[in-house]
Amino acid sequence: MKKIAVLTSGGDAPGMNAAVRAVVRKAIYEGLEVAGVFNGYQGLIEGKIELLQLGSVGDIIQRGGTMLRSARSEEFRTIEGREKAMKQLKLNGIEGLVVIGGDGSFRGALELTELGCPCVCVPATIDNDINGTQFTIGFDTALNTVIDAIDKIRDTATSHERTFIIEVMGRNAGDLALWSGLAGGAETILIPEEKYELPAIIERLKSGTGRGKRHSIIVVAEGVMSAAELAERLKVEAGIETRISVLGHIQRGGSPSARDRVIASQYGAKAVEVLKEGRGGLAIGMRNHVVVNYDLKDVFEKPNVFDVEMYKLSRELSI
Amino acid sequence: MKKIAVLTSGGDAPGMNAAVRAVVRKAIYEGLEVAGVFNGYQGLIEGKIELLQLGSVGDIIQRGGTMLRSARSEEFRTIEGREKAMKQLKLNGIEGLVVIGGDGSFRGALELTELGCPCVCVPATIDNDINGTQFTIGFDTALNTVIDAIDKIRDTATSHERTFIIEVMGRNAGDLALWSGLAGGAETILIPEEKYELPAIIERLKSGTGRGKRHSIIVVAEGVMSAAELAERLKVEAGIETRISVLGHIQRGGSPSARDRVIASQYGAKAVEVLKEGRGGLAIGMRNHVVVNYDLKDVFEKPNVFDVEMYKLSRELSI
Amino acid sequence: MKKIAVLTSGGDAPGMNAAVRAVVRKAIYEGLEVAGVFNGYQGLIEGKIELLQLGSVGDIIQRGGTMLRSARSEEFRTIEGREKAMKQLKLNGIEGLVVIGGDGSFRGALELTELGCPCVCVPATIDNDINGTQFTIGFDTALNTVIDAIDKIRDTATSHERTFIIEVMGRNAGDLALWSGLAGGAETILIPEEKYELPAIIERLKSGTGRGKRHSIIVVAEGVMSAAELAERLKVEAGIETRISVLGHIQRGGSPSARDRVIASQYGAKAVEVLKEGRGGLAIGMRNHVVVNYDLKDVFEKPNVFDVEMYKLSRELSI
Amino acid sequence: MKKIAVLTSGGDAPGMNAAVRAVVRKAIYEGLEVAGVFNGYQGLIEGKIELLQLGSVGDIIQRGGTMLRSARSEEFRTIEGREKAMKQLKLNGIEGLVVIGGDGSFRGALELTELGCPCVCVPATIDNDINGTQFTIGFDTALNTVIDAIDKIRDTATSHERTFIIEVMGRNAGDLALWSGLAGGAETILIPEEKYELPAIIERLKSGTGRGKRHSIIVVAEGVMSAAELAERLKVEAGIETRISVLGHIQRGGSPSARDRVIASQYGAKAVEVLKEGRGGLAIGMRNHVVVNYDLKDVFEKPNVFDVEMYKLSRELSI
């Protein structure tokens, strides 16, 4: 293998730039040429491809977003689109591709691998919802953004003795809500993986007030219900007044945390190592503190593992 | 005067604690006794009053919220409530009161002054909407919180080439939207003080796209319309897709900025100075870089002055 | 076991409060009474012991430092001192002790265990230098503080095309320098675990300049040499001008990161679990993503494991 | 006037980029062409000049440092150097120049004005030490960086009951030390503008300890003496143990605060307005909340005004 490329796809996550940087630097260290594909798979189809140098990735490790940009591509979902992509890869002499993104992006990588271009995937999404890896790039930064918001809201909650409901991202995965709720000292955490019972929540809120607790914070993953809906139900069913805060897109941005920069560096370098050996159809990830590569198909076929212990801990500490 | 008291009232604002600290320390420096009233006017009615020492305000200058807490009081709106408050002031030997809060809180102070207890008001609200002062405590911190959010959202906006609408606080006053929009590099800023024209906004968005601009940020004060409404109108009237972010309560919290701590210290100390002279019915504020005191009635009777020059500047720089 | 106590000892680390909170809440959840010992082992000798409630640890999860305070104790190093400590434990009906701190503090815990009071230790130090655990509380926060400083210094380094030497904490352990250097995009990282060769560093600096690199950042652990000494040597031996920055005590403070709050919660709860079973002489830690307990003696007898892979990665990515 | 240029010079300050952006955008708004000079006066001599467009200053308002870079120039101090600079200006059709920097940079601007190229200066330095303006760009950001450091150090100071000495920038001007000390709640502040008396400082430290104060923070401007020297003197003369922290270069970097971005936008735009009228030899600044322009010579001939009131306040609040 003489030349590889790298692209970012799907929702952006802090640390994507650090991963791009690692891919480029490791590739050059290994004597490979490396190109950047701009605007994700759509850019690949359109041939938005540029050779990258060490200097191309200077001063980006600390930046949020992705210098390669990202985009949706309806065209890539068609076989014609993917063949155009393959043509561009050949035209540019690219023999392997690193795809940085979430599981939607990984599907594309699997298909390109099957069409003959070995792809290796680097998991980057703030939701931490990719099967086979315990950590995705961006999760740690998003977590810190969420607890910063919780800390700010606690100032008002304490001063006014109020209950706040904070809605965080996570349609199918509750990791962001669970970890941030635990780290933010939330009294109640609602996640898609665990059933909630409204009467029990109401009971907790009331017993807290009973023993003189001045404020309460509830963290809810958007996949369970919206903060507005929960507020409405607490009001209707128990007469409890709450304030809501929907954190929204700020969770996606910001300078990556130290940890996200470190795992982005590890994942990016590992992806090049694997690709250099001519292997494709693989994902990179972290398992029990070790950087591993595993079959891309596992991402789609195996169930995501939920950390029940941590949920139990969050319950015990919020008595 | 031998003994004064201090309370915080209305929505909390970062820097209230720094102001409480300044009142307490300056009072003790001047040889006065100083008491803290907890839970605002409601706490005053209920006699939640404690003598404060230097140590009572240690390690609070950097904290958001208010250690004296705040609360609404329906009872204080009645003459019976205010008479109970006066009784508590007498009972505790309090001869003057510093009220830290927004204009709603200032009304109460005016009424107490008229009942015989001289009150001096310190403006603290993130909205910067109090007549007679150019800056209120909390505004600068909120501003920095908002631009931090805008910077984060810009990461995603740039990476995905999208238009974002960011809704910030401000029902009647556009200062937070205007300053943060200017500091955040927003292309369009909508504030209550200036008429907006949707066709012109649409035109700007389209011309930006026309010359290759990859993303756009619109800041809208909640008093103009909600981000959701603006998004809907842009979609319906021009087919423009946008994402929205409602910053909400995070704008109220956080450790106060250096500037808010400084003006809180200045205002708090000035309030004690004025009160010590036996003067009440006054507000403290900043006018052209000078800390001043002025008639509390001006807060309600004079119109707030809007900085037209800054609005003009924001337009010129966002061509 | 009916009643336990908790103390913090040694240098403070962000997340100590979150660990104290977890110990208290988990203990109460398990039906135990829990006391706080103030000012570390010295306070234990002096009987500075108070029963803690849920409310005692409210609103502290986000605070740096330690609410139980910390102190050195010469007296505790004597057998007389430790016997006084044992007497206080008995006097207060304390049957087990959680010690939160670094390895110096762990020695004391081992000795108290041998005198009959089972102790369980929770590792908290920004240096991440405790044998038997991959992560200590405070390391992740310090890491983020350091990269924030590196990012700031990079602004000036880039603008002025200069080389900066940044000195970080770490007398015997290079983890903070290594991780922060990797995450901060440093060109050169000097740690106690790996020999450095000045000529090679000079060579790298010169070759960077040769290919148009505008600035360079060197991270050095204090255990290798001071930034000032390195600057002097680069000037004398190669005529290279550098600027230095000694980060110092800011590395110890600040609101703990999400991750530090999470592991502090896990460690604190685990310590109570183990102690409740009547077991002492143990340390809590993280091994390959699992929270474990292990023999306290391992802390002193086994060598700390250094992550050679990460050092190699840092070299490869800084070509 | 058809074409102007902009350069940054001297030590970098956060907000320089926001000022460059404002100059470029305002110039284009006014129908002028605008060029950027890279590497300060040295780059001007060498003809490192590029035409800038709206897109050239996209996404920089939030960045520290300066995209135009800065450099020292010995050559520019000679008449030959300045004549080369003039030649380049003519060669590039540049009829006016905006110089963003500190007072050293302003001298160069005065000399170029005298040689026939009208220059307007924008004050940007974290030291806030330029005569004729109450605020310089970068001061507010540096202030927030310093109080963030003080807040972190206070965590350790409180936990260990220690006295810390924090050394901040400021050779001739104490504004950074004074404002940050006031905002950081420091007990003692040493600045070049006011004499200090060691016995009084010692007295304060001891009386604090006497009444149970657990920690103390001293802020010293580097122009008074180094933190190390003060620590030594406190130890020798009164046996007081302290820890020191030298903040150093982190004070220069970081994303500019909201306020610095706003005044940078105001100053930059004002500079273009003035220059467009063909006027040179002027500085831009803030006086009593109004953006003004004034004779450049005043910068060198009039004494800087020190805010005695604020110093007095800091003393009264730190009893």
Side-chain angles (χ1 to χ4, degrees), chain A residues 54-300:
Chain A
L54 289 178
S56 316
V57 293
D59 214 23
I60 65 161
I61 199 172
Q62 80 278 21
R63 303 219 192 282
T66 161
M67 63 167 272
L68 295 179
R69 296 192 300 275
S70 186
R72 288 196 181 175
S73 174
E74 289 304 319
E75 196 176 354
F76 189 75
R77 297 186 180 202
T78 66
I79 180 66
E80 292 77 18
R82 292 194 292 275
E83 276 165 2
K84 280 189 201 168
M86 286 301 296
K87 202 182 270 178
Q88 287 290 349
L89 288 167
K90 260 174 217 162
L91 206 66
N92 285 275
I94 294 163
E95 297 165 81
L97 181 67
V98 177
V99 171
I100 302 167
D103 55 9
S105 315
F106 286 15
R107 271 190 201 283
L110 190 57
E111 288 165 328
L112 284 183
T113 302
E114 283 162 3
L115 288 175
C117 175
C119 293
V120 175
C121 292
V122 170
T125 157
I126 63 160
D127 290 335
N128 206 35
D129 63 350
I130 294 183
N131 297 338
T133 181
Q134 282 159 341
F135 293 107
T136 58
I137 298 166
F139 174 60
D140 187 64
T141 307
L143 211 47
N144 281 296
T145 299
V146 173
I147 65 161
D148 182 59
I150 295 179
D151 289 351
K152 284 194 166 76
I153 287 168
R154 188 195 284 111
D155 287 339
T156 294
T158 316
S159 299
H160 290 272
E161 311 194 339
R162 279 181 188 152
T163 295
F164 269 85
I165 303 170
I166 301 174
E167 179 185 323
V168 304
M169 285 188 170
R171 281 188 212 287
N172 308 305
D175 278 25
L176 194 56
L178 177 54
W179 285 62
S180 68
L182 182 57
E187 279 71 24
T188 303
I189 302 170
L190 302 188
I191 54 174
E193 291 90 343
E194 291 281 335
K195 264 196 182 165
Y196 69 93
E197 293 184 22
L198 207 62
I201 296 171
I202 291 167
E203 174 65 29
R204 281 165 87 83
L205 286 172
K206 290 195 169 167
S207 78
T209 313
R211 65 161 205 275
K213 201 162 167 26
R214 291 205 185 104
H215 66 280
S216 190
I217 289 181
I218 300 171
V219 173
V220 57
E222 61 183 342
V224 177
M225 71 179 117
S226 73
E229 187 184 339
L230 181 55
E232 181 64 19
R233 292 183 60 184
L234 288 173
K235 191 171 175 182
V236 168
E237 299 190 25
I240 296 173
E241 287 288 337
T242 57
R243 302 288 164 119
I244 69 169
S245 181
V246 181
L247 297 188
H249 281 92
I250 58 167
Q251 296 167 82
R252 287 246 175 107
S255 180
S257 70
R259 191 171 181 84
D260 271 335
R261 297 187 197 184
V262 168
I263 68 169
S265 301
Q266 291 176 307
Y267 289 5
K270 182 77 172 182
V272 172
E273 253 175 53
V274 172
L275 204 54
K276 201 197 165 193
E277 295 166 6
R279 300 162 68 197
L282 295 170
I284 305 298
M286 181 81 76
R287 288 188 189 167
N288 297 331
H289 199 58
V290 179
V291 180
V292 298
N293 64 76
Y294 59 98
D295 196 324
L296 248 181
K297 287 177 186 159
D298 291 356
V299 173
F300 311 108

Side-chain angles (χ1 to χ4, degrees), chain B residues 25-42:
Chain B
R25 288 179 165 260
K26 175 73 173 183
I28 292 172
Y29 175 84
E30 297 287 354
L32 299 171
E33 279 192 305
V34 58
V37 179
F38 290 78
N39 293 64
Y41 290 120
Q42 187 59 36

Side-chain angles (χ1 to χ4, degrees), chain B residues 139-169:
Chain B
F139 174 59
D140 188 63
T141 307
L143 211 47
N144 280 295
T145 298
V146 173
I147 66 162
D148 182 59
I150 295 178
D151 288 352
K152 285 192 165 76
I153 287 168
R154 187 193 285 111
D155 288 340
T156 293
T158 317
S159 300
H160 289 273
E161 310 192 341
R162 279 180 189 152
T163 294
F164 270 85
I165 302 170
I166 300 173
E167 179 185 323
V168 305
M169 285 187 170

Side-chain angles (χ1 to χ4, degrees), chain D residues 4 13 22 31 78-79 87 96 109 128 131 152-154 166 253 262 275 277 289:
Chain D
I4 63 170
T78 65
I79 181 66
K87 202 182 271 180
N128 205 37
N131 296 338
K152 285 192 165 76
I153 287 168
R154 189 194 284 111
I166 301 174
V262 168
L275 204 52
E277 295 167 5
H289 199 59

